[in-house]
Amino acid sequence: MRIVMIGTGYVGLVSGACFADFGHHVTCVDKDASKIDALLEGRIPIFEPGLDALVESNVAAGRLDFTLDLEKVLPEADAVFIAVGTPSRRGDGHADLTYVYAAAREMAPLLREGAVVVDKSTVPVGTGDEVERIIREVCPNLTFSVASNPEFLREGAAIDDFKRPDRVVIGVNDDHAEKVLQEVYRPLTRNESPLLVMSRRAAELTKYAANAFLATKIAFINEMADLCEKVGADVRDVARGIGSDTRIGNRFLMPGPGYGGSCFPKDTLALLKTGHDYEAPLRIVESVVAVNDQRKSAMGRKVVQALKDAGGGADAHGKTVALLGLTFKANTDDMRDSPAISIVQSLQDAGVNVRAYDPEGMEQAKKVIQNVTYCANSYEAMDGADAAVIVTEWDAFRALDLDRMKDLLSQPLLVDLRNLYSRTDMEEHGFTYVGVGR
Ligand code: UGA
């Protein structure tokens, strides 16, 4: 099977490398010459555990290559995947489909008879119809199919998610497209990964519904965490108590500083826009978006309050905190919509100085967070600070040297926004401990 992957972002590069690893011949195409040059030289433009080795071995095996030149590779392709960005359109939150439609228009005259164009980018309902219309407009006599195959991988766990998915969703409106996609995913179905075949529109909507539902779980547990703090219960007990009911499920019930990243914030907004366009209001998703926005700044205020409490009610103005972790979650360098951005803003609004460290995200963070002292490691960040604040659940923060922390901090105060530590342990070490929902 010859596959062309258009777009070498997270989804395109991971999917391309994994398809090659399944044994298909894959060419990844991008318009960004610097990205293609980097990939040809064996450099991976994103941070994703295991991706460099996967790319290297498949390039070496001759199954994976990279090019700027669509004309060279498209006429041979059985399946052409579109995996370009669909950022939020400025103003109304609708997904910006410019890159998807441009790819469709550009590929149309180069497609071979029977080619299956597969949309892997996250796109609103009806995008497949428009892609089909564009290709037909350019090539009225071509026989081709357009399918939807949304991707559910998570950053940081992308390869494993791709290779061992809970399900693969395939949205097709004709048998030929189904047959080709069955063949693309055949190596996976051997391990009994369920392939769910449905209509193209249902597949497109499934992607948004999945992300919105996961975002809902997080917003729900975050509100429960607030309630737990008020009533004197531990949210982790509540999460275990409800999550062990298989109807609810125990994943995505970890309270924290609110969800961020390149997907949940953008996709919930785009889904709201679709609901609005089709006059089907999505009130639950509306609330989730509002709860999460509010949560991010509330976390900054929580830190300020902890500083005040530790100072016997004195103003936090002029105090310094060490932020441990800046990325929206661990194992990524992605800063998009990271809660750290709002947290720093609320701290700075209260006159608090910020020292910060992140294992992988510093370069990206410097582009979006200013007036912060960036440090070389956790301990340098804590040197002289009045509190340490864990924002991201990096492994490097799970077993900090508590004695060393105590020596470095001006007072032993830990605000743990990911609940990595036990209150008892911390108090035994003489720390004032502030967790989430405990
Ligand atoms: C998410 C989905 O999980 C993927 O299935 C989907 O493919 C992807 O979006 C996408 O649409 O491309 P991702 O954004 O990489 O993946 O990250 P998640 O692991 O889902 O985390 C999202 C946010 O939720 C993070 O800020 C994380 O800290 C937060 N989160 C997650 C919690 O606060 N609590 C949890 O229990 C789980």
Side-chain angles (χ1 to χ4, degrees), residues 48-373:
E48 179 63 38
L51 187 57
D52 42 2
L54 193 73
V55 168
E56 193 187 322
S57 63
N58 282 285
V59 168
R63 289 189 298 260
L64 178 63
D65 54 21
F66 305 97
T67 182
L68 288 165
D69 191 358
L70 265 186
E71 281 180 37
K72 209 170 73 191
V73 290
L74 266 189
E76 302 278 291
D78 304 298
V80 184
F81 283 79
I82 304 179
V84 298
T86 54
S88 260
R89 193 163 68 191
R90 216 178 268 234
D92 65 359
H94 193 273
D96 182 347
L97 298 170
T98 316
Y99 303 115
V100 174
Y101 295 151
R105 197 164 286 285
E106 206 176 328
M107 75 170 74
L110 303 168
L111 291 173
R112 56 171 259 201
E113 278 292 311
V116 179
V117 176
V118 191
D119 188 21
K120 214 175 217 331
S121 303
T122 299
V123 292
V125 175
T127 304
D129 301 356
E130 180 62 10
V131 167
E132 189 173 318
R133 195 197 61 73
I134 291 171
I135 298 175
R136 189 158 316 288
E137 183 183 289
V138 180
C139 302
N141 300 320
L142 182 76
T143 312
F144 67 98
S145 309
V146 176
S148 162
N149 170 219
E151 185 47 59
F152 299 99
L153 59 81
R154 289 162 302 163
E155 291 184 13
I159 295 169
D160 207 47
D161 281 354
F162 193 93
K163 290 192 162 180
R164 273 169 282 278
D166 290 338
R167 81 309 204 181
V168 173
V169 169
I170 285 175
V172 287
N173 288 358
D174 64 90
D175 294 344
H176 173 66
E178 180 180 341
K179 219 173 104 215
V180 169
L181 281 165
Q182 295 268 16
E183 184 58 25
V184 167
Y185 281 104
R186 197 169 44 82
L188 260 188
T189 45
R190 282 211 186 114
N191 301 336
E192 292 180 17
S193 285
L195 219 65
L196 305 181
V197 182
M198 56 185 76
S199 73
R200 200 164 62 197
R201 286 189 161 234
E204 288 169 338
L205 187 54
T206 297
K207 170 68 194 181
Y208 284 97
N211 275 0
F213 197 84
L214 292 170
T216 304
K217 280 185 102 172
I218 298 168
F220 178 85
I221 203 68
N222 282 339
E223 285 202 319
M224 283 300 132
D226 288 346
L227 184 57
C228 282
E229 287 175 13
K230 299 265 161 65
V231 301
D234 189 326
V235 69
R236 293 168 312 163
D237 293 335
V238 176
R240 267 192 305 137
I242 61 173
S244 44
D245 182 331
T246 51
R247 290 172 303 175
I248 296 173
N250 55 20
R251 297 175 70 191
F252 275 70
L253 286 179
M254 258 160 352
Y259 61 76
S262 62
C263 306
F264 290 172
K266 157 176 91 72
D267 294 347
T268 42
L269 288 181
L271 183 59
L272 287 181
K273 176 71 170 63
T274 302
H276 187 258
D277 289 350
Y278 285 83
E279 292 182 26
L282 302 170
R283 306 234 192 281
I284 295 173
V285 185
E286 267 170 27
S287 302
V288 167
V289 170
V291 165
N292 195 63
D293 283 347
Q294 193 271 342
R295 177 138 196 109
K296 291 183 186 174
S297 46
M299 290 301 104
R301 292 197 297 277
K302 185 182 176 88
V303 176
V304 172
Q305 189 58 48
L307 285 168
K308 282 186 186 163
D309 293 345
D315 196 2
H317 203 275
K319 299 275 185 199
T320 300
V321 299
L323 285 197
L324 305 184
L326 296 167
T327 51
F328 78 101
K329 65 172 190 176
N331 295 323
T332 176
D333 62 353
D334 202 332
M335 281 298 297
R336 283 175 285 180
D337 271 307
S338 172
I341 300 169
S342 309
I343 292 172
V344 170
Q345 189 61 60
S346 342
L347 288 170
Q348 290 176 338
D349 288 349
V352 175
N353 305 309
V354 178
R355 298 167 66 77
Y357 167 68
D358 188 281
E360 293 292 338
M362 306 274 269
E363 209 177 301
Q364 298 301 326
K366 285 175 188 167
K367 297 179 189 162
V368 285
I369 303 180
Q370 277 88 38
N371 301 322
V372 158
T373 308

